[in-house]
Structures are given as C-alpha cells and as structure tokens.
Amino acid sequence: MSDGVPAWAYERVSVRPFDPRWADRARVERARLIELLAPWLVDGVEHVGSTAVPGLAAKPIIDLMASVNDLDVVVVDAARRFTVDGWCFVPPELDGRPWRRFFVKPDETGQHRIAHLHLVTSGHPRWGEQIAFRDALRRDGTLADDYEQLKRRLADRHEDDREAYTNAKAGFIVKALGLAPD
C-alpha cells in the first residue's frame, strides 16, 4: 500500500446477500446529503446501485447520486462540509470518470467503504441511466437474478480489482437499458 493512500482504496470486491438495513442506511445518508448539498441541489439525491434493489445481493456500499449545476463549484464550496461529515474526495484524475465527482465515506476504522456519492451535472444522461437501471432491476426479477449471478462471478474473478469488476458489468447494463448498438 502506498503512503497516503487510504486502506479503503484497496478494499476487495465482496458481494453479500441482500440486507434490509441498506434501505435504512440509505435514507439516513440521503437525508444528510440533502442538508449538506441544499444550496446546490437541482434534481435531488437518489439511492442507486444494487443496495437500492430489494432482494439483490450487493457490495455492502450505499450508492447515492446527487444532481447539481456545477460539479467543481460544489467540490470547492462544500469541501469542509463533506470532510466534517466523513466523506473523502476522489480527484477526477484518479476516478477516471469526467462526467462526475466522486466521494467515498469509509467506516470508523477507515478500512471499508460504507457509502459512495456520485455528483452528476443536472441534465447529464448518466442521471437518467442510473435511475432507469435501478428501476428495471426493481421491476424485473429475472433481470435482477441475472445481474446478481453476473456480479457474483465477476466478484470472484476480480476480487482485487474494483475497476475491472465495474467495467465488466458495463455490457450487461447497456443491454438492459436498450442502449446497445443494433
């Protein structure tokens, strides 16, 4: 592990059985983020990702997405608020996703992630795609089962590489959203 790199950055991919407490944790984090981001919020804060789908196995990390007008203004102006609340900023050059600003909230030990915040510019297509995929999984049990099986296989294959795990799910998500080219 490199000096200055937090332990949670090296956390292994681990898919766990559904936990009904995820929804409660998401509600608490969401309410807090609405307070923290109040001056900048446009379309609100959404619980997205697998923990937002009842019955679906997931990495035990609550994914939240917030819509704002200017990502970089929020990062600068809300930096102290985020730090006090336990959020760690992941710089865009490390995150590798220019369409968002990313924050991680580790547990009290600093070893494990408990939440992710994806700040997205209002109107960006990713906002609707994330919500559409979550909602498709909620509506379609077969799709959710297929996704869970894929996630378990990929977690076994890429347990030490979170980026490879995430990237390997992309084709399934694109297909589920009907965004795959003909």
Side-chain angles (χ1 to χ4, degrees):
M1 200 174 335
S2 303
D3 289 336
V5 178
W8 53 258
Y10 294 99
E11 186 174 9
R12 290 177 173 230
V13 175
S14 176
V15 174
R16 308 261 175 82
F18 175 74
D19 185 337
R21 295 174 295 182
W22 291 338
D24 293 331
R25 286 184 26 221
R27 273 191 287 281
V28 170
E29 289 293 345
R30 182 178 173 273
R32 181 65 184 138
L33 285 169
I34 289 170
E35 288 178 33
L36 289 173
L37 293 167
W40 305 282
L41 275 180
V42 177
D43 299 310
V45 178
E46 291 283 334
H47 180 199
V48 295
S50 296
T51 61
V53 180
L56 185 62
K59 295 185 313 292
I61 302 164
I62 305 302
D63 279 290
L64 299 148
M65 182 175 60
S67 167
V68 298
N69 278 328
D70 187 317
L71 300 174
D72 295 320
V73 166
V74 175
V75 168
V76 170
D77 291 353
R80 186 175 179 291
R81 294 177 186 207
F82 281 120
T83 301
V84 168
D85 212 55
W87 291 97
C88 302
F89 179 60
V90 178
E93 60 273 12
L94 292 177
D95 180 39
R97 293 168 181 88
W99 52 266
R100 74 173 182 189
R101 295 300 173 266
F102 188 58
F103 292 81
V104 172
K105 190 173 206 179
D107 67 5
E108 62 282 343
T109 71
Q111 301 292 311
H112 306 285
R113 302 164 185 233
I114 60 171
H116 291 157
L117 172 60
H118 311 258
L119 285 181
V120 179
T121 303
S122 177
H124 192 283
R126 190 62 180 233
W127 176 265
E129 292 165 0
Q130 291 277 107
I131 293 169
F133 185 60
R134 175 201 64 196
D135 292 349
L137 292 171
R138 286 177 173 174
R139 280 189 313 271
D140 186 338
T142 301
L143 182 68
D145 289 344
D146 291 348
Y147 189 53
E148 180 173 322
Q149 290 172 23
L150 173 66
K151 287 164 31 111
R152 289 185 183 282
R153 284 193 310 274
L154 294 175
D156 288 342
R157 186 178 309 148
H158 301 293
E159 73 176 341
D160 291 322
D161 189 342
R162 298 179 78 81
E163 288 301 314
Y165 167 82
T166 298
N167 292 337
K169 295 184 302 179
F172 182 95
I173 295 166
V174 165
K175 185 177 176 187
L177 291 173
L179 300 174
D182 294 329

